[in-house]
Amino acid sequence: MKEQLNKVLLSYDKSIDLGRKGIDSYSNLPKEIIHNPNYNLFEEMKNENNLSDSGRKEIYEYLSPTTTMKFIDLGCCLNLMFRGYDKWESTYYGVDISPKTIQLLKEYTQIHNISYGSLFSGSMHQTPYEANYFDIGCCIGSLEYFEKDFVKVCIEEFLRIMKPKGKFVLDIPNVGSAEFEITFLIEKSLGREDKFNLSILEFENIICKNFIIDKKENIGPMIQYFLSINK
């Protein structure tokens, strides 16, 4: 799994480097992807800002952040910059495998005088936080890169750092959908191939041991879960 973690790290570091130069990492895709019959679905999702579902108002409404809450964003990418998380009332904590992502976020918070709890560069399966530390949390657009055993370890870590009766939002790929099939090809071309190998039933059997599924929704290539902590 170290190899896969490193591939994801390098791919997102490269995306940050390109972004600093004003280059969209999705702008130079291979011809076989552009000519894929499902490529129009990708373009529609991109035009509708639906490639990442981390900025949905439903997440904010479900987590209901307040000034007394600590919020953990696992696999945070640039949510603080582009998904409105800098406007949330809660105290923000971000974890991302890409050091260049975390560096950019620190620069952003300094320029805009945004306070936060911490920004940590590392894997979401081993975080530096105490048990029962966070009131609310999310993991959006990250679990799809990993196989069953690693996903299970991540879920255990999420549970460890979340407070009893806290709330958490995460997503997994809707494997088999046309939307996921085209995004799978694109992510692979970017050097971060999706490795998720759990069925929906298998995944729900894992999370239902300590999470209550309040609702779930199909969003683009993903299935988004709204969860209450039950420990």
Side-chain angles (χ1 to χ4, degrees), residues 38 41 45 172-184 218-223:
N38 290 326
L41 291 174
M45 290 185 290
I172 63 170
N174 188 6
V175 178
S177 68
E179 292 86 352
F180 175 72
E181 294 305 316
I182 187 61
T183 55
F184 171 84
N218 290 352
I219 308 296
M222 310 297 286
I223 303 172

Side-chain angles (χ1 to χ4, degrees), residues 84-101:
Y85 289 18
D86 56 333
K87 305 296 192 300
W88 287 25
E89 297 86 342
S90 49
T91 302
Y92 184 86
Y93 293 73
V95 173
D96 200 275
I97 192 68
S98 161
K100 293 187 178 183
T101 294

Side-chain angles (χ1 to χ4, degrees), residues 38-53 83 177-184 186 219-222:
N38 290 326
Y39 183 71
N40 65 308
L41 291 174
F42 169 77
E43 288 194 312
E44 289 173 8
M45 290 185 290
K46 188 176 180 182
N47 291 336
E48 295 171 2
N49 202 26
N50 200 24
L51 289 178
S52 170
D53 51 8
R83 303 301 175 192
S177 68
E179 292 86 352
F180 175 72
E181 294 305 316
I182 187 61
T183 55
F184 171 84
I186 291 169
I219 308 296
M222 310 297 286

Side-chain angles (χ1 to χ4, degrees), residues 90-226:
S90 49
T91 302
Y92 184 86
Y93 293 73
V95 173
D96 200 275
I97 192 68
S98 161
K100 293 187 178 183
T101 294
I102 295 299
Q103 180 58 40
L104 181 56
L105 290 177
K106 288 181 177 179
E107 294 172 14
Y108 177 79
T109 58
Q110 184 175 7
I111 291 171
H112 296 278
N113 195 28
I114 297 169
S115 61
Y116 60 90
S118 73
L119 293 168
F120 175 73
S121 178
S123 174
M124 60 188 175
H125 82 294
Q126 291 179 329
T127 72
Y129 307 112
E130 298 175 4
N132 305 319
Y133 192 70
F134 295 103
D135 303 278
I136 53 177
C138 70
C139 178
I140 305 295
S142 295
L143 291 177
E144 65 263 33
Y145 297 120
F146 304 105
E147 296 178 342
K148 177 179 179 179
D149 288 346
F150 187 80
V151 170
K152 290 175 68 175
V153 173
C154 288
I155 297 297
E156 290 170 1
E157 178 68 356
F158 301 168
L159 181 67
R160 183 188 72 80
I161 62 178
M162 294 298 299
K163 291 181 179 180
K165 299 184 180 180
K167 290 185 176 181
F168 199 86
V169 179
L170 58 75
D171 64 0
I172 63 170
N174 188 6
V175 178
S177 68
E179 292 86 352
F180 175 72
E181 294 305 316
I182 187 61
T183 55
F184 171 84
L185 294 175
I186 291 169
E187 292 292 287
K188 184 177 181 180
S189 75
L190 295 175
R192 48 181 190 249
E193 181 179 356
D194 293 324
K195 296 285 188 179
F196 195 84
N197 61 349
L198 287 158
S199 69
I200 293 173
L201 179 59
E202 287 174 321
F203 179 74
E204 292 183 357
N205 283 339
I206 292 171
I207 61 174
C208 282
K209 293 176 182 178
N210 292 105
F211 295 86
I212 297 170
I213 301 175
D214 291 324
K215 65 175 179 175
K216 66 178 181 179
E217 299 175 344
N218 290 352
I219 308 296
M222 310 297 286
I223 303 172
Q224 194 167 92
Y225 288 84
F226 297 75

